[in-house]
Amino acid sequence: MYLGLALHFWNTRWRRRAAPAKPGLRLWERAAILAPLALHGGLLYQGIFAAPELRFGFAQALSVMMFLGVALYWIESLFYGLEGLEPLILLLAAAAAPLPALFPGRGISVPSTEFKLHLALAMVAYSLFTIALLHATLMALVERHLHQKTASFVDHLPPLLTLEQSLFRVIGVAFLFLTLTLATGMVLTDLMFGRLLRFNHETLFAVLSWLTFGWLLAGRWLYGWRGRTALRWTIAGFVMVVLANIGTAFVLEVILKRA
């Protein structure tokens, strides 16, 4: 269902040659996105939280990220113009949705309330950063074709300034959730090991991602960073975010075969 909708939006948003009569999602399109979203959410709940043992790994993280990413996009599109983002985010959701069936993840015995809160905050932060990366991708496409005279699908995407404002709005909210994720992670580590931080790959990349996005927001506020500078820092920060949790889990589960 995600894939079918991605193809629909590709044909109607990216391949069209005439400007739309009315920008934004039509009512039936908005309702159609809710159908696979609800099914996706139900499957995630049954497979992660309703199961006898909580199992979570890189596949579950990616699937939850894209579920929340589509949900957040759907909500954000009610208030802001996000034309052109649909094919990207729905295609990624189509790729991520079946992953938990292929990779069961690692078992977590008796997860605490602190762990569940930390996990929820992390997934929201990662989902927002995914949306930010897609915004940055659209910005790069628009900027690349800005001075070309030939017709292109980017002619019907939102203006570059609108995409830029959306990018930093999403990054600001995502940075807040990432800060809360790090804070709850330190509380959890203190409860489990008696110290606020453990020096490992996950901690290192999590702190680096926080510093990267914090520097990007500071550069935007102090120096007016935009365009390619914002794109480069967004990509760098997103890579750090992925390596902090999902990349580490992928290495443990798939390469090292540690369940």
Side-chain angles (χ1 to χ4, degrees):
M1 295 171 73
Y2 280 139
L3 183 58
L5 285 168
L7 291 173
H8 162 74
F9 283 110
W10 168 272
N11 286 318
T12 58
R13 276 18 177 222
W14 283 35
R15 294 185 62 187
R16 67 184 176 209
R17 289 292 177 264
K22 184 179 180 181
L25 293 176
R26 301 166 187 161
L27 183 60
W28 75 266
E29 291 173 335
R30 191 172 294 281
I33 293 175
L34 287 180
L37 188 64
L39 179 60
H40 192 181
L43 291 172
L44 285 173
Y45 176 79
Q46 292 178 5
I48 297 176
F49 298 106
E53 178 189 31
L54 193 152
R55 300 192 67 84
F56 201 86
F58 84 95
Q60 290 75 17
L62 285 173
S63 190
V64 171
M65 274 177 56
M66 294 319 304
F67 166 76
L68 291 175
V70 175
L72 291 170
Y73 156 78
W74 192 93
I75 295 172
E76 190 183 9
S77 66
L78 292 171
F79 306 98
Y80 304 102
L82 301 175
E83 195 82 1
L85 200 64
E86 305 90 354
L88 296 175
I89 195 166
L90 291 171
L91 184 61
L92 290 175
L99 288 179
L102 304 175
F103 304 96
R106 292 174 291 169
I108 301 173
S109 57
V110 195
S112 63
T113 302
E114 292 84 359
F115 175 81
K116 292 180 179 178
L117 176 61
H118 172 71
L119 185 62
L121 290 170
M123 289 300 98
V124 173
Y126 295 173
S127 302
L128 286 167
F129 282 127
T130 301
I131 294 178
L133 181 66
L134 298 182
H135 274 290
T137 302
L138 288 181
M139 282 177 57
L141 292 173
V142 172
E143 187 175 11
R144 181 179 178 183
H145 291 83
L146 190 60
H147 302 293
Q148 295 183 1
K149 297 181 180 180
T150 56
S152 170
F153 68 89
V154 299
D155 295 335
H156 310 303
L157 295 180
L160 188 59
L161 182 60
T162 301
L163 289 173
E164 187 177 272
Q165 292 172 344
S166 297
L167 172 66
F168 281 98
R169 181 174 61 246
V170 173
I171 289 178
V173 177
F175 182 75
L176 173 62
F177 275 95
L178 181 61
T179 303
L180 294 174
T181 300
L182 291 177
T184 54
M186 288 190 291
V187 172
L188 186 62
T189 302
D190 185 48
L191 291 175
M192 295 176 62
F193 304 103
R195 51 183 176 175
L196 291 177
L197 291 174
R198 296 178 66 200
F199 186 76
N200 53 29
H201 292 84
E202 185 174 352
T203 301
L204 175 63
F205 286 117
V207 173
L208 286 176
S209 66
W210 186 84
L211 292 174
T212 300
F213 282 111
W215 181 247
L216 172 58
L217 291 173
R220 169 70 171 182
W221 183 58
L222 295 173
Y223 308 113
W225 285 356
R226 55 188 303 177
R228 294 182 181 180
T229 301
L231 175 62
R232 286 194 293 265
W233 282 99
T234 301
I235 294 175
F238 184 80
V239 170
M240 298 295 179
V241 165
V242 171
L243 290 175
N245 188 293
I246 299 172
T248 302
F250 177 82
V251 171
L252 291 174
E253 296 172 40
V254 179
I255 298 178
L256 300 180
K257 304 295 184 182
R258 295 181 185 176

